[in-house]
Amino acid sequence: MIGTRKLGELTVGAEGLGCMGMSQAYGVRDSDEESIATIHRALELGVTMLDTANVYGPETNERLVGRAIADRRDRVVLATKFGIVWGAGGSMGARGDAAYVKQSCDESLARLGVDYIDLYYQHRVDPNVPVEETWGALSELVQAGKVRYLGISEASAETIRRAHAVHPVTALQSEWSLWTRDIEAEILPTARELGIGIVPFSPLGRGFLTGSITSTDQLPADDMRRRLPRFADGNLDSNLAIVAALGELAEEKGVAAGQLALAWVLSRGDDVVPIPGTKRRTYLEQNVAAVDITLSAEDLARIEAAAPANAIAGARYPEELARAAGK
């Protein structure tokens, strides 16, 4: 069993489970039975926080998670999200008006088959709606007992402060790994000043840091990573060199490359709870084992030397997937 960590006042397992890939994004889906078995195994190992969103699938992932936890709700810290809306041509937008917040919550509760959500995130900030309006509606959901704690995803330091002034922010979910370190300069210190826990998504760099992806030819035709600049020709070889250097360090320690990458994220602080995603029990067990890896000061220095901040080639997303973050 893995230990626990605190996100604000919320106690969760030291690692969570990202469930998005069970329903979308990374090519051919496994059976729902394997996904449900993975969720059940996660709970057995002490992973308590399950992360989903209304937009995953869309909607089908919440239903899947709901099926998986129907007979074990009391063992789960259930996290879901609202706020992303898709536009023409696959562009990503956001919606945060009060009516939509409340409608989205009720719809998620119904799909999940639960009476309350433990951690409800604003998935992306709506640039056209004051965050105070969004968080006023979220605060009302807490008062109504439909939600226990609130979180925000991919938000700027200023937006986090404004939201927190309306209602305490329990968790910030943003991309953070050896592959993406954008939050470290300003956003991370702000969260820590306010007592907000950090939930890194894609802590394995969308699988790239495992060393298992050496060409986009390996990816299914509908895999979203084929559209990401970091996997594109011209960037891929440069990034593979960094992954190879990390792989050598992992081999020296007798661990898998992905486990070393996860151990680095976990080493960032006791307020950090990464949510690596997987749809298979084998990879889940590998990820959970990273909790037991201890990195010395020398290990950390060598990891930093192999994968310096800002060394990864390519933007996080293509232009048509530009995020509504930082508004």
Side-chain angles (χ1 to χ4, degrees):
M1 293 284 288
I2 61 174
T4 61
R5 292 187 171 190
K6 296 276 280 190
L7 300 172
E9 297 180 354
L10 179 60
T11 300
V12 296
E15 215 175 84
L17 175 61
C19 298
M20 179 186 76
M22 296 174 179
S23 301
Q24 71 168 55
Y26 298 126
V28 179
R29 290 177 53 203
D30 284 5
S31 68
D32 284 352
E33 287 70 23
E34 176 61 21
S35 295
I36 289 171
T38 299
I39 290 172
H40 291 173
R41 180 62 176 145
L43 297 176
E44 290 172 359
L45 294 171
V47 174
T48 61
M49 186 165 62
L50 304 179
D51 185 89
T52 182
N54 63 346
V55 77
Y56 297 161
E59 301 181 357
T60 55
N61 195 246
E62 285 186 323
R63 294 190 182 98
L64 174 66
V65 171
R67 284 172 53 201
I69 68 170
D71 61 348
R72 56 202 80 195
R73 175 68 180 94
D74 60 341
R75 298 168 57 185
V76 174
V77 176
L78 184 58
T80 192
K81 317 179 197 72
F82 75 94
I84 286 180
V85 291
W86 294 105
S91 62
M92 178 182 287
R95 187 174 169 187
D97 57 280
Y100 182 72
V101 173
K102 294 175 181 179
Q103 173 190 333
S104 295
C105 180
D106 287 343
E107 290 172 349
S108 287
L109 288 168
R111 283 190 291 268
L112 290 160
V114 298
D115 297 325
Y116 65 92
I117 296 162
D118 294 290
L119 178 57
Y120 199 38
Y121 288 102
Q122 182 177 10
H123 206 168
R124 293 294 184 274
V125 176
D126 185 342
N128 300 311
V129 174
V131 73
E132 289 81 3
E133 176 181 335
T134 307
W135 277 69
L138 285 169
S139 182
E140 291 178 14
L141 291 176
V142 174
Q143 294 167 21
K146 294 181 178 183
V147 174
R148 293 179 62 213
Y149 298 94
L150 301 178
I152 198 165
S153 181
E154 296 277 81
S156 69
E158 178 189 358
T159 298
I160 292 166
R161 288 187 186 280
R162 288 170 59 192
H164 192 74
V166 177
H167 189 282
V169 180
T170 291
L172 167 70
Q173 184 174 139
S174 288
E175 187 169 357
W176 192 21
S177 69
L178 287 167
W179 166 270
T180 298
R181 300 178 63 174
D182 303 354
I183 70 169
E184 293 180 357
E186 184 180 7
I187 295 170
L188 181 63
T190 298
R192 286 183 162 156
E193 174 195 334
L194 299 174
I196 299 168
I198 315 299
V199 179
F201 73 82
S202 295
L204 295 173
R206 304 191 184 279
F208 194 76
L209 296 174
T210 66
S212 62
I213 302 169
T214 57
S215 168
T216 53
D217 292 340
Q218 296 170 247
L219 304 176
D222 60 346
D223 193 303
M224 71 168 289
R225 289 171 289 190
R226 284 179 173 267
R227 302 168 61 193
L228 302 183
R230 293 180 177 180
F231 290 83
D233 291 342
N235 294 330
L236 186 64
D237 287 346
S238 175
N239 294 334
L240 282 171
I242 294 172
V243 171
L246 290 170
E248 291 176 7
L249 297 179
E251 189 173 357
E252 286 182 29
K253 286 193 70 70
V255 301
Q259 290 175 319
L260 184 71
L262 267 178
W264 179 86
V265 176
L266 287 158
S267 77
R268 300 297 84 191
D270 290 339
D271 57 350
V272 178
V273 180
I275 50 169
T278 186
K279 47 195 174 185
R280 299 187 181 101
R281 284 168 283 183
T282 301
Y283 296 137
L284 166 77
E285 291 170 358
Q286 289 180 9
N287 292 341
V288 168
V291 172
D292 296 323
I293 298 172
T294 300
L295 298 178
S296 67
E298 180 184 357
D299 291 331
L300 291 169
R302 294 179 69 191
I303 291 169
E304 292 281 348
N310 303 317
I312 296 293
R316 289 170 61 198
Y317 297 106
E319 187 174 347
E320 69 269 18
L321 283 181
R323 302 282 170 144
K327 303 295 184 184

